[in-house]
Amino acid sequence: MKLKERISLATSGVKVRDDCRTMFEEMKLKQKYKYIVYGMNKDNTMIEPLTNADEDNKNKTYDDFCNELPDTECRYGVFDLDFDLPSGGRRNKLVFYMWAPEGAKVKNKMLYASSKETITKALVGIAHNIEATERSELDQQPLIDYLITKIK
């Protein structure tokens, strides 16, 4: 199999809508959003933001973000994670999530898995990636502990 054929098999052909990048840049540079949730359009050909661009969600919490991830459908998300360092001070990191719950259809999981690279390449500045299939994998304390070890 030629390299070009292998690459086309590994990707879904799904595109990223421009406002996905725009909202992410506003999150990264202007702290306009605490999180953004992304999903597929009805035709499964385009990744689009599901978070309302006009809604101010800066004061929302990690629990609010997790509650927007459905139990029967996949989603992508980016969360602006703030945490305290043991030595004092605060840091924040942009964390990308691929949510593929056990209750989602296999076809949906495959489409999201094969499109993940497309969206992560479009969102420049992600500090860490999480792939979660159940709610317990969304616990943020192990992630904070891991990120602290990377800062030292």
Side-chain angles (χ1 to χ4, degrees):
M1 188 179 312
K2 295 179 183 174
L3 178 61
K4 187 175 182 178
E5 291 172 347
R6 282 186 289 191
I7 291 171
S8 65
L9 290 175
T11 60
S12 63
V14 170
K15 307 262 188 256
V16 177
R17 212 167 76 182
D18 288 341
D19 55 346
C20 292
R21 291 180 194 93
T22 303
M23 288 178 70
F24 177 76
E25 290 299 319
E26 289 173 341
M27 176 188 207
K28 181 171 75 172
L29 301 173
K30 299 177 184 176
Q31 287 79 39
K32 183 174 178 181
Y33 308 102
K34 186 66 177 172
Y35 63 83
I36 303 170
V37 176
Y38 301 98
M40 297 287 176
N41 65 358
K42 290 181 183 178
D43 299 331
N44 290 327
T45 58
M46 184 85 60
I47 299 169
E48 59 187 12
L50 301 178
T51 300
N52 184 344
D54 298 325
E55 181 183 326
D56 177 3
N57 75 3
K58 288 185 286 194
N59 295 321
K60 292 212 175 180
T61 66
Y62 187 71
D63 287 338
D64 295 326
F65 169 70
C66 292
N67 288 335
E68 288 198 32
L69 303 174
D71 290 330
T72 58
E73 295 179 44
C74 298
R75 292 287 187 267
Y76 301 117
V78 178
F79 188 83
D80 188 356
L81 180 65
D82 295 311
F83 56 95
D84 294 317
L85 296 173
S87 59
R90 287 188 63 75
R91 290 281 160 79
N92 78 306
K93 298 288 182 184
L94 296 175
V95 180
F96 178 85
Y97 290 82
M98 186 180 106
W99 173 243
E102 294 292 329
K105 294 180 180 175
V106 172
K107 185 176 180 179
N108 188 245
K109 292 179 192 181
M110 290 174 61
L111 179 64
Y112 272 77
S114 63
S115 303
K116 179 185 171 200
E117 185 177 348
T118 303
I119 188 167
T120 55
K121 282 185 176 181
L123 307 178
V124 177
I126 299 292
H128 192 67
N129 287 300
I130 301 285
E131 292 184 14
T133 60
E134 58 184 53
R135 298 271 170 201
S136 65
E137 295 173 333
L138 295 173
D139 184 9
Q140 68 178 345
Q141 193 56 53
L143 172 61
I144 291 170
D145 295 343
Y146 172 79
L147 292 172
I148 288 171
T149 64
K150 291 295 184 184
I151 292 172
K152 292 180 181 181

